[in-house]
Amino acid sequence: MHESWKFFLQTEFGKPYFKELSDFLHSEYENKVIFPPKKLVFSAFTTNLSEVKVVILGQDPYHTPGAAEGLAFSVPKSQPIPPSLINIYKEIDSDIGHHANSSGSLREWQKQGVLLLNTVLTVEAHRPKSHSGKGWETFTTAVISYLNANKEGLVFMLWGRDARNKKSLIDASSHLVLEAAHPSPLSAYNGFFGCKHFSKCNKYLEENGKKAIEW
């Protein structure tokens, strides 16, 4: 994790809810197959806090072997591009003409200041949303609240119901809030396709004196 997150994370790690979550996760990792690997759970927080410009909020990690790497929607370069990310790339192509990534890894976005955060950071193999309601939602609520209070001019992309539930935490007079359906094949046609979040994001960043993201 990047040093810039140290104060925030140490504060959260010391709270009772996180102790309960940690105990739950210790048991889960000991007795079940859990994704992502322990060392990758907090990969989103390797993004330098001072450089964060965009927050993409997803749901929970990929639940198939080798896919989850602690960054929302991203997979290692060696992995096939998942359906949700295929749809994200389709929307980028439709919105701004092309996407820059040649694989399913979104680490280049991360390097540009995109915080790729899920609302729940772990999952049991082949059991989507199996770690919902265990404490992660409290943690990610704290993350969004912290960003809202300590940064200005962020772009929040809230995709899917779980992400959109965080809208009330964000001051829309200080940040740009973009909402859409989840890019999953089950819901992308219900408002993700055509949302034009990527061009809207870059327009807002440039209007606020920040460099656009190379999507």
Side-chain angles (χ1 to χ4, degrees):
M1 294 171 278
H2 194 273
E3 182 74 14
S4 56
W5 289 98
K6 185 176 180 180
F7 173 77
F8 168 77
L9 292 173
Q10 285 186 339
T11 300
E12 291 306 306
F13 291 168
K15 293 180 179 179
Y17 86 87
F18 205 92
K19 176 63 165 60
E20 291 182 14
L21 173 59
S22 296
D23 290 345
F24 166 75
L25 291 173
H26 178 75
S27 175
E28 290 286 286
Y29 274 100
E30 285 288 313
N31 298 295
K32 300 174 183 178
V33 178
I34 305 299
F35 301 130
K38 278 185 181 180
K39 66 180 180 180
L40 297 179
V41 170
F42 292 100
S43 292
F45 298 94
T46 58
T47 310
N48 187 334
L49 175 60
S50 67
E51 296 176 358
V52 172
K53 298 187 289 189
V54 181
V55 181
I56 293 180
L57 196 58
Q59 295 184 354
D60 62 350
Y62 296 119
H63 56 84
T64 53
E69 59 173 0
L71 302 173
F73 298 105
S74 182
V75 295
K77 289 182 178 180
S78 60
Q79 290 287 311
I81 301 175
S84 290
L85 186 51
I86 288 174
N87 285 341
I88 290 170
Y89 286 167
K90 285 180 179 178
E91 176 59 23
I92 294 172
D93 293 346
S94 171
D95 186 13
I96 62 175
H98 68 281
H99 65 277
N101 293 344
S102 59
S103 72
S105 173
L106 302 181
R107 292 188 180 275
E108 290 302 315
W109 292 6
Q110 186 184 31
K111 291 176 185 177
Q112 297 175 75
V114 180
L115 184 68
L116 297 159
L117 185 67
N118 282 312
T119 53
V120 172
L121 302 193
T122 55
V123 68
E124 184 181 343
H126 309 298
R127 293 192 61 213
K129 303 193 79 170
S130 52
H131 284 186
S132 296
K134 304 298 183 181
W136 279 127
E137 293 91 344
T138 302
F139 174 75
T140 48
T141 288
V143 174
I144 299 301
S145 297
Y146 185 77
L147 289 166
N148 175 68
N150 290 279
K151 301 279 288 184
E152 288 187 1
L154 294 181
V155 179
F156 288 89
M157 297 184 182
L158 310 180
W159 297 341
R161 184 180 62 186
D162 291 353
R164 295 171 84 169
N165 284 341
K166 306 287 191 187
K167 181 182 179 180
S168 62
L169 304 171
I170 305 165
D171 180 358
S173 67
S174 299
H175 308 284
L176 177 63
V177 181
L178 300 173
E179 296 181 79
H182 194 276
S184 160
L186 298 174
S187 56
Y189 286 96
N190 292 329
F192 180 77
F193 287 137
C195 69
K196 299 189 179 300
H197 280 187
F198 305 96
S199 60
K200 291 175 181 177
C201 170
N202 281 351
K203 182 174 184 287
Y204 179 83
L205 291 176
E206 290 176 335
E207 286 174 350
N208 285 274
K210 299 177 183 179
K211 188 176 180 181
I213 304 297
E214 186 178 348
W215 299 109

